[in-house]
Amino acid sequence: MSDAELSELPESHPRYLSLRTRHRIEEGVEKGITSKQGLIAEGRGEAFDYLLGERTLPTADAAARAAAAHLLLARHPVVSVNGNVAALVPEDVVELAAVVDADVEVNLFNRTDERIRAIADHLREHGAEAVKGLSGDARIPGLDHKRAVVDADGIGDADVVLVPLEDGDRAEALAGVGKTEIVVDLNPLSRSARAATVPIVDNIVRALPNVTAHARELAGASREELQAIVDAFDAEGARHEAETAIRGGALDTGAESDPRTNGERQ
Ligand code: PTJ
């Protein structure tokens, strides 16, 4: 879809949000930010989101709140950015990092210096000041060379890492070195979602602004209050509710109907 075609599409179109999201990924590939595999990942994500009813489940909202509490409690939080995240939600990454005082690090599955630079520039165009990822002077143990590369003073030093749309191996490896891992993944059965301390089973375009909104609301909370939110979060329950919603069909879960489509799937 071209820019002109998208601009002609009325916002009332039932697939408007989905088409706009796809367009961002297409643009990301054209700019050298998103990998071709990112197109496939987006397609998988869309299928899960469709079955979820393209809405944030109550447990995904609870996960976003727990994620915000973790990030606020962290000694050194880092938001990891790959080619899909950079294309879809660059403004939201910058805003969340500012609200929770996190570093932003470009960390790629298909790592090339050229893509890292393109993504860092793209994030700066959207307001990021410092972007990590270019030094690549540390390794996550247990992974092959390129996928293991991180910055020593970024993800290497972090205690809490938000890794949206991560591949399973790396999510497990990061969890394996004792980092608290917050994953955003529409597939509740993925190894990433299962490895995460906090799996947010939601579309990144809804999840990131939601974590930021919770973080703003919790900014004045005491450490005890934040810890209570962290402790109360049930990761297994959240994954289970998402899986039930996907397998059962969103309209059978008691979730509210989609105001854009009157509850009908398009
Ligand atoms: O930019 P790179 O090189 O780091 O590569 C990024 C991708 C995403 C291509 C790479 O990490 C990859 O191959 O990931 P996977 O193994 O395809 O996993 C991506 C997961 O993200 C899948 O479980 C999708 O369902 C999910 N997903 C896709 N789009 C979204 C999503 N989850 C949340 N929001 C989305 N918009």
Side-chain angles (χ1 to χ4, degrees):
M1 173 175 268
S2 66
D3 282 343
E5 282 166 334
L6 187 73
S7 66
E8 277 170 23
L9 195 71
E11 288 194 26
S12 58
H13 187 288
R15 305 297 317 150
Y16 178 81
L17 286 177
S18 160
L19 291 170
R20 194 188 61 185
T21 303
R22 256 187 218 180
H23 183 62
R24 284 196 165 195
I25 290 283
E26 274 182 293
E27 279 184 328
V29 174
E30 279 159 17
K31 283 186 191 164
I33 289 172
T34 309
S35 69
K36 285 187 191 160
Q37 287 193 19
L39 287 169
I40 299 166
E42 169 65 20
R44 287 173 69 194
E46 271 189 29
F48 285 114
D49 205 17
Y50 189 85
L51 293 170
L52 274 173
E54 294 169 342
R55 76 201 73 212
T56 300
L57 294 175
T59 43
D61 184 56
R65 193 169 178 79
H70 271 292
L71 290 163
L72 290 167
L73 281 169
R75 170 185 60 80
H76 182 185
V78 175
V79 180
S80 176
V81 177
N82 67 14
N84 285 51
V85 174
L88 290 177
V89 284
E91 308 90 348
D92 297 305
V93 166
V94 173
E95 199 179 340
L96 173 62
V99 170
V100 299
D101 198 17
D103 277 336
V104 173
E105 177 164 339
V106 183
N107 189 241
L108 300 181
F109 177 69
N110 301 296
R111 184 186 173 96
T112 65
D113 282 353
E114 204 183 353
R115 269 183 75 220
I116 292 188
R117 272 193 216 98
I119 292 172
D121 288 347
H122 183 71
L123 290 170
R124 284 192 205 98
E125 279 164 27
H126 287 86
E129 283 167 17
V131 180
K132 294 192 190 293
L134 275 164
S135 326
D137 49 355
R139 303 275 177 277
I140 313 165
L143 283 177
D144 59 45
H145 177 71
K146 280 202 170 177
R147 292 185 311 152
V149 176
V150 294
D151 279 14
D153 64 351
I155 291 176
D157 177 64
D159 56 343
V160 177
V161 195
L162 173 66
V163 278
L165 280 68
E166 185 57 277
D167 80 289
D169 279 0
R170 288 205 318 177
E172 281 176 352
L174 275 171
V177 288
K179 300 194 189 290
T180 296
E181 199 174 18
I182 301 161
V183 162
V184 181
D185 192 327
L186 277 159
N187 178 4
L189 300 173
S190 75
R191 280 191 294 145
S192 319
R194 283 186 281 133
T197 312
V198 180
I200 308 177
V201 184
D202 201 5
N203 197 317
I204 184 79
V205 302
R206 296 188 298 270
L208 230 52
N210 198 22
V211 175
T212 305
H214 280 296
R216 282 195 201 288
E217 198 204 314
L218 293 171
S222 66
R223 291 190 73 81
E224 290 70 27
E225 285 168 314
L226 294 173
Q227 192 60 49
I229 292 168
V230 162
D231 293 344
F233 176 66
D234 173 10
E236 192 48 49
R239 280 187 291 264
H240 182 71
E241 185 190 307
E243 186 185 341
T244 305
I246 287 168
R247 287 190 192 279
L251 299 181
D252 298 330
T253 64
E256 286 169 26
S257 64
D258 186 335
R260 287 169 295 146
T261 61
N262 240 350
E264 290 166 20
R265 315 315 321 283
Q266 303 289 315

